[in-house]
Amino acid sequence: MIMTKIVCNSSPIIALSMINQLHLIWELFDEVIIPNEVYHEITHGNQYKTIGIDELEHAIREEKILLYKVHQIELVEELYGRLHKGELEVIIAAKELNISRVIIDDRSARKFAETLMLKTIGVVGILIAAKKIGLLPEIKPYLDQLITNGYRISKNIYNDTLLLVNET
């Protein structure tokens, strides 16, 4: 069996917590890692207030999500400004740990990760994958709930996703 490891950014954790589906990431991947900056963003700098904090703390206690300290902090500082520190730490952690997949929603962070040969997936991709393997019967209610809670999903992505999963 091939062990699938992934490094995750803060916004997907917050979004999945919003819809009570954080468990999907460790059901889809064998090992889920977050860098310390992502932990800090969720527990201290979260624009959605407290969403995701309890879920993340519980997942860490249960060892469903593992914390990682990035070694190349100077590189994070050097690149900071183009992307947020959490996104940079996710990308750098993946490279340090020789992990090829990251969960990131931000388009510019995804493009940067892809230039470094990382495979990216976001919240919508997580929901699609979960439906494909039978973890969710449908995803439209979750997309609607995310949008209602202020999570940005473009109309094109919304419509394309529903078409892809036969929920139109």
Side-chain angles (χ1 to χ4, degrees), residues 43-99:
T43 58
H44 294 90
N46 181 348
Q47 72 180 24
Y48 293 100
K49 310 294 181 259
T50 60
I51 296 172
I53 295 173
D54 291 340
E55 295 86 345
L56 177 61
E57 295 284 1
H58 182 74
I60 290 170
R61 272 194 313 276
E62 298 285 315
E63 298 181 358
K64 303 289 187 186
I65 295 178
L66 307 173
L67 283 172
Y68 177 74
K69 183 178 181 349
V70 170
H71 299 292
Q72 297 179 64
I73 292 298
E74 65 284 346
L75 184 56
V76 172
E77 295 299 329
E78 206 173 295
L79 294 170
Y80 180 62
R82 282 189 59 196
L83 302 174
H84 296 128
K85 286 185 180 179
E87 294 162 341
L88 290 167
E89 282 202 12
V90 166
I91 293 165
I92 293 168
K95 296 307 276 180
E96 287 180 356
L97 294 166
N98 200 26
I99 294 172

Side-chain angles (χ1 to χ4, degrees), residues 2 38 49 51 71 85 87-89 92 94 98 100 117 134-135 138-139 145 150 154-155 163 165-166:
I2 298 172
V38 167
K49 310 294 181 259
I51 296 172
H71 299 292
K85 286 185 180 179
E87 294 162 341
L88 290 167
E89 282 202 12
I92 293 168
N98 200 26
S100 64
M117 309 309 282
L135 294 174
E138 58 182 349
I139 64 175
Q145 192 179 351
S154 75
K155 281 187 164 77
L163 193 62
V165 298
N166 298 313

Side-chain angles (χ1 to χ4, degrees), residues 4-9 12 25 29 83 87 90-92 94-95 99-129 157:
T4 310
K5 297 180 181 185
I6 198 152
V7 184
C8 188
N9 193 29
I25 56 175
F29 302 97
L83 302 174
E87 294 162 341
V90 166
I91 293 165
I92 293 168
K95 296 307 276 180
I99 294 172
S100 64
R101 302 184 70 92
V102 293
I103 306 174
I104 295 180
D105 278 332
D106 181 77
R107 187 181 325 191
S108 54
R110 288 171 77 123
K111 285 184 194 280
F112 182 62
E114 289 163 4
T115 65
L116 297 175
M117 309 309 282
L118 296 170
K119 294 180 188 119
T120 63
I121 189 170
V123 168
V124 174
I126 295 290
L127 294 174
I128 292 168
I157 290 174

Side-chain angles (χ1 to χ4, degrees), residues 16 19 24 123-131 136 139 142-143 146:
L16 290 167
I19 58 173
L24 292 175
V123 168
V124 174
I126 295 290
L127 294 174
I128 292 168
K131 181 176 179 179
L136 294 175
I139 64 175
Y142 297 112
L143 294 176
L146 285 168

